[in-house]
Amino acid sequence: MKLDILAEQKEQQLLHYFCLISNNHRYDLTIGYSEQFFGKAMVTSIQSGKMVLLCQEDTYLDNHWAERLGIEAEDIPEFQEFFSLVLQPRPFQEQY
């Protein structure tokens, strides 16, 4: 084997499944909360099969997550509100 494992950690991850309906679209998302992503959650769209790491502070950067998650432009404001409710604020990380 030509791969070296530098680190391995195991955790019990909290995973939420959401089926959301807007006026014209359906969205199926999973949100995985982990200690491994510096306070961000792993948001995955079942429709697009793509994932982004998000925290509450990232919701205003819709150009980062909306297209990847397959969110239609007319639904972005509702998703910003939804994410502000279900995502944790990013904890302050001291740097030395």
Side-chain angles (χ1 to χ4, degrees), residues 34-35 37-40 55-57 88-94:
S34 172
E35 297 295 322
F37 305 126
F38 302 105
K40 296 193 178 213
C55 65
Q56 279 182 351
E57 290 80 11
Q88 302 293 320
R90 187 171 183 181
F92 177 73
Q93 299 284 328
E94 285 194 39

Side-chain angles (χ1 to χ4, degrees), residues 23-82:
N23 286 334
N24 298 309
H25 306 282
R26 173 183 169 160
Y27 303 96
D28 296 294
L29 302 175
T30 62
I31 300 180
Y33 301 94
S34 172
E35 297 295 322
Q36 303 302 315
F37 305 126
F38 302 105
K40 296 193 178 213
M42 182 175 22
V43 181
T44 306
S45 166
I46 294 173
Q47 279 91 356
S48 74
K50 295 185 178 177
M51 178 275 292
V52 294
L53 293 175
L54 289 177
C55 65
Q56 279 182 351
E57 290 80 11
D58 295 333
T59 59
Y60 72 93
L61 299 170
D62 58 86
N63 60 330
H64 168 69
W65 53 265
E67 184 177 345
R68 292 197 67 154
L69 297 176
I71 309 300
E72 298 295 329
E74 69 250 23
D75 295 330
I76 289 174
E78 285 79 13
F79 268 89
Q80 288 172 318
E81 185 177 338
F82 169 74

Side-chain angles (χ1 to χ4, degrees), residues 1-43:
M1 183 166 134
K2 296 187 182 225
L3 299 175
D4 293 325
I5 298 172
L6 297 178
E8 179 181 1
Q9 294 181 354
K10 185 176 181 178
E11 69 178 354
Q12 294 289 0
Q13 202 173 64
L14 184 60
L15 190 63
H16 289 223
Y17 296 92
F18 293 94
C19 177
L20 303 165
I21 304 270
S22 69
N23 286 334
N24 298 309
H25 306 282
R26 173 183 169 160
Y27 303 96
D28 296 294
L29 302 175
T30 62
I31 300 180
Y33 301 94
S34 172
E35 297 295 322
Q36 303 302 315
F37 305 126
F38 302 105
K40 296 193 178 213
M42 182 175 22
V43 181

